[in-house]
Every structure is written in C-alpha cells, then in structure tokens.
Amino acid sequence: MAEPETAAGKPEAPAGAPVPKASRRVPRVRLVLLLFAAVSVLSGLNAALLRLGVPAPVHSDSLASAHGILMVYGFLGTAITLERAVALQAEKSRLWAYGAPAASGLAAALLIASIAGVDVPGGRALPGGAWLASMAFFTAIYWAVWRRQASYSVLVQALGAIIGLGGVAMWARGFEVAIIVPWWVMFLVLTIIGERLELARISFASGTTEQRVLAESTALTLTLVATLVTPTIGYPLLGIALAVLLIDVGLHDAARHLIRSTGLPRLSAACMILAYVWGLVSAGLWIVSGPVWTGFQYDAAVHSLTIGFALSMVIAHAPVIIPAIVRRPLPYHPAMWAVAGLLHAGLLIRVIAGAREATVPWQFGGALSVCAVLAFLVLAVSLVGAGRKPRLAAGESSVEAGPDPAGESEPETTHRPETTQSQEAK
C-alpha cells in the first residue's frame, strides 16, 4: 500500500519517527512573531482579571479596556495569520504572507506600549492601521490560495478575513467594542469553520454540505451588517444564522465519530463538540434577548464564543497547528484533559453565576478560565520543548491528517491533506 502523502507530496513520517535535527530548529522570524502573540495573550489575560474585578499583576484601566482587541486580534489573530503564512510559504515569492502576522504583532505592541505610557501618536489610529494591514494581507492570502486551488473552505475563511477587516476598521474609527464585538467573534467563527471544512474534508464532501455551509456563512455575514443598522432585528437574525451554521457543521463533523476513539482523537473531538454547544448558547441568547451590550447576558454571549467556541477549538487543533509553525511535534498528554476541563468548568460557572447575578462565583469562574489558558500555554511549551513524539498505541491515529511535523519542507498551500476514511470511521 502506498504511503499517505502530505500536502507537499511527501510521505508522512511514521508515528514515533525521530524528528530530524534540521527540522527541530524554529525559524527566528516565527519565534519573534510567536513572542508578539505571547505578549498579547499575557496582557489580555491580565486585562481579563481586571475586568473581572479580581487581583491582577498589573493594574491599568486602559489595559482592562483593551482586553477584547488583545485577545481576538493580538493573540488569536497573530497566531491564525502566522499559521496561514507558514502554510503558504513554499515559494520565496510568497514570503509577503508574513506581513499578516508581522503587522498584527506590531499593532499589539503599539497598543501595549501606548497603555504603558509610551507616546504613540494617533490613539487607536496607528495600531488600528497596523491591524487593518494585517487583515488585508490575511485576505490576500486566501485570494492567492483560491487562485491556486479553489474550494468552499477557502471562501468561508475569506469571509472570516473580510469580517475581521471590517471589525478592526470600526475599532480604529472609535466604535464602542460592545457594538462591534459580533464582528470580532464571527471573524473567529468563520475562520475556524473554514478550517474544519479543510481538515475534515471527507466528512463534508457528501452531497451539498459544503455549498450549504458557504451559503449559511454568507447569510451570517449579512446579518452582521443588520446588527449595526437595525440591532433589534439584526441580533435575533444573527443568532438564527449562527445556530443554523453550527448545527449543520456540527452534525457533519468527524468529531461525532472520533469521540468514540481514545487519546488525542477523543480529546480533540470532545473539545470540538463542546465548542459547537457553547456557540449555540451565544446564538440562543441573541435570539431570545436581542441586542445586549452590557451586563451578565452580554458577558455570557461573548465569552461562550470566545472561550467556549474559539479557545476550545484551539485546544482541539493545537497538535496539528503548532507543529506546522514550530517544526516540532506537540505530543498528546493526559494533562490536556485537565486543561480542557478547567476551561469549560470555569466558563460554565461563569455563565450560571451570571444568570443568577452572583458576582463572586462569576469572578471565580472567569479566573478559572484565565488559569486554564495559562495552563494550556505552559503545557504546550513544555511538551514541545520535550521534543519527543511517543509511538501511538495499536489502532490509534492522530485526530486529523496534518502537516508533516517531522519534515523540513513547508506545505505548498494552506490546504492540509484530507482525513482518511478509516480515521473518520472511528
């Protein structure tokens, strides 16, 4: 039987194969960009503690107000655009793709410097302009991929990039965060949904599923405009569009089969299924309550998507994405279950306490989620630093086919190899 191939056309390294020394070196440019993402997430988590009203290492009202932009664009935006740039890097002529994470990291640095008291002219304008450039590069990446290999997943992710561009443009113009936060979270949602279409391609290839997901994503994009023009109608429509999209994708996702597996596949599947559930919580709140810009309901709607959906999906895909960036494997460890459990337990406590307007449990739940993100970062760095990839148990496979972490070459496009039928049948 022929060996499975990666997107670059080279056979994947067998499980447990040693990582060549050349591939164990993380390129310096990527390290610098990852450092920007790390500074953003640490600053954003500090800001989260401030917004919860609990003790934090650094006290700053300006930092507290920057929590959302630092987490969505500074941390997740830099990480997502870096992964996309790496996947497009095969040809030297495409090094321009690194403009996306570089501009995003610069924007975060400028904003943090401004908060720290450095005189950054223009207020939001300078970091906002850098984030606009980042999202423009990000959109251009998908255009380049579309020209090379057209697919529905690329179109869905391109919609996410355009939404991200619109969301940060409004922030740069001085819009209130509560009004534009649906744009920020839908940037994450559509990017992740597009990644699911790409990674688990076989699951979504039957019938008209991919076409339908694209239509649903387009409808969701239109409802975002409605939230600005007529909020009382727009928010329930946004909730309906989001619910339809998540139910459709969730019912066709390979996670429903992988949950019966073991080890890493089961962990990833559990995180993905919970992500879809939390997304539906936000959708339900918008359908029932309409536009809510303050208070516990607003907090629940936003964090059910940013923590429950986006960060849960990050944990699910980390063993695929991180090796593609740092050229070293992220092996499965049972401690990953504790981190994922802490993340979801904290969010559950937060949402329930918010519904009961119980401030102290709400603060406790939020602080638990902050601890979970920190624990995940420490665990990921520790496991990658260990540099060993354990052999899989008999019959156990990786959660998805992904970039070859043992190889020295980069994939030619942003597309990863398809999941095999045997993997999805588990």
Side-chain angles (χ1 to χ4, degrees), residues 40 46 74 76 85 96 115 130-131 144 153 176 179 196 210 235 242 313 332 345 368 393 406:
S40 296
N46 188 104
L76 292 174
W96 58 264
I115 292 170
W131 266 313
S153 66
E176 291 294 328
I179 294 174
R196 290 307 306 148
E210 291 180 300
Y235 274 84
L242 177 61
M313 283 289 192
Y332 168 75
L368 276 184

Side-chain angles (χ1 to χ4, degrees), residues 140-344:
I141 288 174
Y142 289 120
W143 171 246
V145 176
W146 171 260
R147 292 182 64 186
R148 187 179 181 92
Q149 186 178 355
S151 70
Y152 291 104
S153 66
V154 172
L155 291 177
V156 172
Q157 291 173 87
L159 279 176
I162 293 169
I163 290 171
L165 181 65
V168 81
M170 287 186 283
W171 179 82
R173 288 293 302 272
F175 279 64
E176 291 294 328
V177 170
I179 294 174
I180 60 176
V181 76
W183 290 70
W184 294 4
V185 294
M186 293 310 146
F187 153 56
L188 299 176
V189 167
L190 290 192
T191 300
I192 292 169
I193 292 296
E195 289 259 337
R196 290 307 306 148
L197 290 180
E198 181 180 325
L199 284 168
R201 200 171 306 153
I202 292 175
S203 292
F204 298 100
S206 60
T208 60
T209 302
E210 291 180 300
Q211 297 95 312
R212 194 170 58 248
V213 169
L214 175 60
E216 292 159 358
S217 300
T218 304
L220 184 145
T221 304
L222 294 175
T223 63
L224 282 174
V225 179
T227 62
L228 299 176
V229 179
T230 56
T232 54
I233 298 175
Y235 274 84
L237 288 178
L238 175 62
I240 293 170
L242 177 61
V244 170
L245 175 63
L246 292 177
I247 290 171
D248 195 3
V249 175
L251 289 177
H252 290 89
D253 202 306
R256 70 192 193 281
H257 300 306
L258 291 169
I259 194 63
R260 297 192 292 270
S261 186
T262 58
L264 177 59
R266 189 171 193 173
L267 169 67
S268 296
C271 288
M272 287 187 280
I273 291 170
L274 286 172
Y276 292 126
V277 172
W278 280 117
L280 290 174
V281 170
S282 291
L285 286 170
W286 281 329
I287 292 170
V288 173
S289 302
V292 180
W293 296 306
T294 59
F296 290 115
Q297 281 190 326
Y298 167 79
D299 180 82
V302 171
H303 290 98
S304 291
L305 279 172
T306 53
I307 297 175
F309 182 83
L311 289 181
S312 185
M313 283 289 192
V314 167
I315 293 175
H317 292 89
V320 173
I321 303 302
I322 290 178
I325 296 175
V326 302
R327 295 180 176 175
R328 298 184 69 171
L330 175 62
Y332 168 75
H333 193 282
M336 291 177 176
W337 282 102
V339 171
L342 189 65
L343 183 80
H344 290 284

Side-chain angles (χ1 to χ4, degrees), residues 328-425:
R328 298 184 69 171
L330 175 62
Y332 168 75
H333 193 282
M336 291 177 176
W337 282 102
V339 171
L342 189 65
L343 183 80
H344 290 284
L347 181 57
L348 182 62
I349 293 171
R350 180 174 187 161
V351 171
I352 293 175
R356 298 179 62 86
E357 299 187 358
T359 302
V360 173
W362 174 79
Q363 292 174 321
F364 176 70
L368 276 184
S369 294
V370 170
C371 292
V373 176
L374 287 172
F376 170 72
L377 295 174
V378 171
L379 181 61
V381 171
S382 300
L383 292 174
V384 169
R388 292 191 301 170
K389 185 175 181 180
R391 293 184 179 275
L392 298 174
E396 184 178 338
S397 62
S398 61
V399 61
E400 308 281 1
D404 182 5
E408 296 183 44
S409 62
E410 303 293 347
E412 290 185 352
T413 72
T414 58
H415 287 273
R416 299 172 188 81
E418 296 185 20
T419 306
T420 63
Q421 290 281 10
S422 62
Q423 286 173 312
E424 293 192 13

